[in-house]
Amino acid sequence: MADEKLEMGEVGASLMSAEPKKPPVRPPNKFERLIQPCLAELVGTTFFVFIGCVSVIENVEAAGRLQPALVHGLAVAIMVACMAEISGSHFNPPFTLAIYLCGGMEMNMVAPYLACQLVGGVIGAAMAKAMTSRENYAKAQGAAFDLLQSDSQLGGALFGEIAMTCLVTMVVLLGAVNPKSRSPLVPFMVGCTVIINVLAGGDVSGTCLNPARAFGPALVSNYWTYHWVYWVGPIAGGLIAAALVRLLLGDRSTRLILK
C-alpha cells in the first residue's frame, strides 16, 4: 500500500513538474522576410522625417536647438524600439550601408531599404508641409538644411557631418550588430547620441546625419543649396564607422584582421 502511494506520488509530481510543450517556431514567410521589413523602413522613416521637419518648422525661437534635438532623438529612440524586430530600424542610408558591411544584413535587401528610406523621407516632408502654416514653412525652407550660405562654411560643416555620423553609426554597430557589445539599451543610446549631436553641431551644419532626412525636405521645398554636403558627409561618416568596427573595434566574428 505504501509502495502504491509512493508510486502515485511520483507520478503526480512528474505530471505537475512537466512543462507544456512549446509549439514549433514557424520560419518567417516571404512577406515577413522581404516585404514587411521594407514597409517598416518606409513607415519608420516617414514618421521620423515628418516629426523632425515639424519640430524645425514650428520651432519656438526661445527654445533654440533644444526642441529639434529632443524631437529628433526621441523620435529615433521610439521608432527603433518599435520596429527593431521587424526591419532592424535603420531609417538612414548610412546605417544600412554600414550594417551590411559589418555583416548585419543580406545584400539583396540593401537597395530596397535605401529606396524605402528615401521615399519615406519625401512622404514625411510632404506630411510636414500639409500640417504646418504656409508662413512658417516658407520661413524654415520646409525644414531643408539652409544653414550653409557660403563656401567658407563648407569645411567645418562637412567635417561635422562626417564626424557626427561616424559617432552615431558606431553606436548602432556596436550596440546592435557586434555580438560582444550588443545591448538592449540601443534605442536609448542611439536617441541620446542624436540629441547630443544636434545640440553640439546644430549651428555648424544643421546636424543632418541622414540623407533621407535631407532629401525629402529638399525635394518638397525645392531647396538644393549645398545639398551635396548632406549626402557626402553622412555616407563618409558611416563608412568610416564600419571600417573602425570591421577592422579594430569588432569582436573576432566581426573583425577582418588581428584575430
Side-chain angles (χ1 to χ4, degrees):
M1 191 71 177
D3 292 341
E4 289 180 4
K5 288 183 178 180
L6 182 61
E7 289 177 1
M8 291 177 65
E10 290 176 351
V11 171
S14 65
L15 290 173
M16 291 174 62
S17 63
E19 296 182 359
K21 291 184 178 180
K22 295 180 180 180
V25 178
R26 181 176 63 85
N29 58 31
K30 186 176 181 180
F31 172 77
E32 294 167 337
R33 286 186 293 105
L34 302 176
I35 301 174
Q36 193 178 57
C38 292
L39 291 175
E41 287 298 306
L42 175 66
V43 172
T45 308
T46 294
F47 280 100
F48 167 68
V49 173
F50 164 63
I51 294 296
C53 288
V54 171
S55 75
V56 172
I57 296 168
E58 299 294 342
N59 187 24
V60 179
E61 290 186 8
R65 295 194 301 272
L66 184 60
Q67 179 175 318
L70 289 175
V71 170
H72 282 85
L74 292 174
V76 166
I78 292 167
M79 299 309 297
V80 169
C82 287
M83 297 189 179
E85 298 302 320
I86 301 175
S87 70
S89 298
H90 299 188
F91 314 138
N92 189 340
F95 287 0
T96 296
L97 295 174
I99 289 169
Y100 165 69
L101 291 174
C102 289
M105 67 182 299
E106 298 294 331
M107 184 178 183
N108 67 319
M109 296 300 290
V110 173
Y113 267 43
L114 297 179
C116 288
Q117 290 158 4
L118 294 177
V119 172
V122 174
I123 296 173
M127 290 170 59
K129 183 177 183 179
M131 174 179 171
T132 55
S133 67
R134 184 174 298 180
E135 179 184 354
N136 288 346
Y137 183 86
K139 183 179 178 182
Q141 295 288 356
F145 289 88
D146 61 349
L147 186 67
L148 303 181
Q149 298 296 325
S150 68
D151 291 348
S152 63
Q153 298 173 281
L154 285 180
L158 185 59
F159 179 78
E161 288 295 315
I162 293 171
M164 291 185 291
T165 308
C166 178
L167 173 60
V168 70
T169 307
M170 198 162 52
V171 170
V172 170
L173 295 176
L174 293 176
V177 178
N178 187 55
K180 185 178 181 180
S181 55
R182 279 179 189 157
S183 171
L185 296 176
V186 70
F188 171 78
M189 295 189 299
V190 174
C192 286
T193 308
V194 170
I195 290 172
I196 63 174
N197 276 340
V198 175
L199 291 175
D203 282 347
V204 177
S205 68
T207 312
C208 173
L209 318 180
N210 185 340
R213 168 65 180 83
F215 177 70
L219 183 65
V220 174
S221 66
N222 196 29
Y223 185 88
W224 301 100
T225 304
Y226 295 114
H227 179 73
W228 63 269
V229 171
Y230 303 107
W231 284 80
V232 175
I235 291 174
L239 294 178
I240 292 171
L244 287 172
V245 173
R246 206 70 158 129
L247 299 177
L248 299 173
L249 299 178
D251 60 19
R252 288 188 178 182
S253 64
T254 303
R255 283 198 319 272
L256 297 176
I257 61 174
L258 303 174
K259 295 188 177 183

